[in-house]
Amino acid sequence: MSLFRLEKPITLTAPTVVAALDSWVDAGSAATVAAAHLAQGGDVVATFDGDAIFDYRARRPTLEIVDGRPSKLTWPELTLRRSMIGDREVLVLVGPEPDYRWRSLADELAEFSKTLGVVEWISLGSIPAAVPHTRGVPILGTESRPGLLRGEVQPGPSGLLRVPAAAISVLDLAVAGAGIPTLGYFAQVPHYVSGAYPAASIELLRAVGRHLGVEPSFGELTDEADQLRRRLDAAATADADTHAYIERMEAMVDESRLPAGDELIGEIERFLRDRGGNGGGSGRPN
């Protein structure tokens, strides 16, 4: 049985897929918020079998109770929507990261992408990093072959990096194996920020816009980013240790130098140790 269902027959012209899943590579919900923004108003092209791919004990449906009467369940949902961004047809895959059937789902989506004539697959992600909220959001890139990334985004980090895989990377590799160019834009989110980080969503939307040659809209994200920036500035001003730590990160950015892997981990561990194991975010480096 297929893990997803096509809602209606469709004909597309050289579509691009933009994909983002709620997972450990969605720090600050930056990637899924950006993808959902792109998908707004789009027609649902395909829905997925939640019973087959989700563990409802880990991703429980939301129950609404009205005046003591259970009235509605909202289930976790992964969808593929068709949107027009400028004059480009874009399929946006967004939702919770599946708990099961990663390889089967990846194989099906790779074959489906070939059938639809997908010309490129763009993965979006966001990762916690030792970067300050007072500077622009850095973007790292991945690409299945040199020359796919656009704008000033460079592939990285250099050298070998081993990390726990996310489902978005399993999809990326399967699609690339089917001969479709794949690339990724990954925002670096200050690791001390908890909750949504709209500034990173905006930067991911900019990256997609530059890639597609269109000017994206940001809607309410700009105001949300400004409000959060003011709160973070106030919190940093009120705590001398936090202020000093952010200044160290600012100095590295101003020197056009991001820390190497070992240095980055050391900075995070030292900050968390100084703060008693709580850096204001998840409480541990990821």
Side-chain angles (χ1 to χ4, degrees), residues 9 15 17 33 58 79 91 101 104 109-110 131 146 153 175 227 229 238 248 282-283:
V17 171
V33 167
T79 60
L91 297 174
R101 309 287 296 276
S104 298
L109 281 173
V131 295
V153 177
V175 172
Q227 292 171 16
R229 169 65 186 267
R248 290 202 301 272
S282 64

Side-chain angles (χ1 to χ4, degrees), residues 15 17 34 52 67 85 135 186-187 193 197 222 234 259 265 284:
V17 171
D67 296 328
I85 303 176
R135 298 294 188 267
F186 293 84
V193 173
Y197 194 60
T222 301
I265 292 171
R284 65 184 188 278

Side-chain angles (χ1 to χ4, degrees), residues 179-243:
I180 298 172
T182 63
L183 57 137
Y185 294 107
F186 293 84
Q188 297 182 65
V189 173
H191 65 84
Y192 53 84
V193 173
S194 61
Y197 194 60
S201 297
I202 289 172
E203 202 57 41
L204 287 173
L205 287 170
R206 284 198 180 103
V208 173
R210 285 192 297 265
H211 189 92
L212 298 178
V214 299
E215 187 68 29
S217 65
F218 305 130
E220 297 178 354
L221 290 174
T222 301
D223 288 339
E224 294 172 3
D226 289 343
Q227 292 171 16
L228 179 58
R229 169 65 186 267
R230 288 193 291 270
R231 292 198 299 270
L232 291 172
D233 285 345
T237 301
D239 185 277
D241 290 339
T242 300
H243 183 69

